[in-house]
Amino acid sequence: MGRRRWVVLACAFAVAAGLLAGGLVAGGPLTAQASAAPEQPTALLDPSPPGSNDWHCKPSDDHPNPVVLVHGLGANQAENWAYLAPLLADHGFCVFSLTYGRNPLAPPPLSQVGGLQPMEESSLELAAFVALVRKATHADKVDIVGHSEGSLMPDYYVKFRGGDEYVDKYVAMTPLWDGTNTAALASANQAAVAIGLGPGLGTVFLPLCGSCREFLHGSPFLKRMASDGGPAVDGVTYTTIMTRYDEAVVPYTSGRLHGDDVTNIVLQDHCPQDLSEHVGVAFDPVAAQFIVNALDPDHATRVHCSPVPANGLPGYGQR
């Protein structure tokens, strides 16, 4: 685990950049059938991070909701959650994770990671996985902790696939509710569409990364998410965790969510020495304290500030 995950993430964004630079972005989403979640993780092909996917774990009275970890674009469960999964398990949570959105058409190394399918389809995988978690733990609801794409895709499940009945608390790390305009790609996309580039050309590359274009500010996917009052869904408690040093979500304030039961956190407002960027937040001990408090507000503790390098906790995400 480690550096390979960040290389893959860069490759995924490069795919998106290539699509936009050529104006190849106006095509429709893929229609590949989303696969159902397995009854248990396949250790050799998709290893679980430490502390995750103990299918015999029974939630405690203090932590009645299992926690489902949802990785980001170009990641998988093992690499994205190497730090946070064991930390949450040590705090007494039943922790579960999956790798979703694999694309069999993608060449290596993208074939080894998830998040590449359109988010509408990935939300079906998440729905199936949540159902399995609830069945195994006999829990009425789960809590979601997502990073990057995993901060946005699950809300499609919550808002449009009945997930609001099964999700209690929703923690979004480096969220992009309003999309991103990193490297001015969203502006380039809008200009390309305006002059009629697509949809035929877009279908050449879209099979590689069906979700990439959906992240862009102003995309049809984000417009649908913003419909009927916005992404926040009644009955779900949201916590968003942003960093001013986010180089993938531009501007980082795209992660600010509006709603009656929403808490927006900018790490540097509480800890100026925290230099975590987009990837590093998943390995950030300061962010982890906010996550634990969001999942267990009845036992919330004071968040202690400490210097954090750009890639998060030393020893993770830097190899």
Side-chain angles (χ1 to χ4, degrees), residues 7-241:
V7 171
V8 170
L9 179 61
C11 289
F13 274 105
V15 170
L19 300 182
L20 295 171
L24 310 178
V25 291
L30 297 174
T31 58
Q33 184 69 30
S35 60
E39 291 188 2
Q40 58 184 9
T42 304
L44 293 178
L45 298 179
D46 187 23
S48 302
S52 179
N53 291 333
D54 174 3
W55 294 93
H56 300 290
C57 185
K58 300 303 179 186
S60 66
D61 291 339
D62 286 339
H63 302 141
N65 296 337
V67 178
V68 176
L69 303 177
V70 189
H71 64 73
L73 171 65
N76 56 44
Q77 59 174 319
E79 294 183 342
N80 210 141
W81 304 118
Y83 170 62
L84 197 58
L87 184 148
L88 292 176
D90 287 345
H91 278 78
F93 295 95
C94 287
V95 181
F96 296 87
S97 59
L98 76 162
T99 298
Y100 66 89
R102 290 184 185 274
N103 190 342
L105 299 179
L110 296 181
S111 59
Q112 304 303 310
V113 299
L116 299 177
Q117 298 283 29
M119 286 185 275
E120 299 92 333
E121 294 182 14
S122 291
S123 70
L124 293 172
E125 292 186 70
L126 178 61
F129 189 78
V130 168
L132 287 174
V133 169
R134 292 181 54 247
K135 180 179 180 180
T137 59
H138 305 288
D140 293 330
K141 293 192 174 187
V142 303
D143 294 334
I144 297 287
V145 176
H147 180 213
S148 191
E149 179 179 353
S151 75
L152 177 62
M153 180 276 287
D155 203 50
Y156 192 93
Y157 159 63
V158 169
K159 185 167 183 173
F160 297 113
R161 301 206 185 279
D164 56 328
E165 184 177 352
Y166 305 118
V167 174
D168 182 12
K169 293 180 282 291
Y170 190 127
V171 182
M173 306 159 61
T174 63
L176 56 169
W177 303 111
D178 197 33
T180 182
N181 196 25
T182 183
L185 295 180
S187 299
N189 176 44
Q190 293 167 5
V193 172
I195 62 175
L197 293 177
L201 293 176
T203 59
V204 175
F205 292 104
L206 277 174
L208 291 178
C209 184
S211 65
C212 286
R213 155 178 86 84
E214 296 181 318
F215 298 116
L216 299 180
H217 173 73
S219 73
F221 177 87
L222 290 172
K223 288 180 179 178
R224 187 178 185 199
M225 292 297 298
S227 64
D228 298 326
V233 177
D234 290 342
V236 178
T237 300
Y238 292 85
T239 301
T240 75
I241 300 176

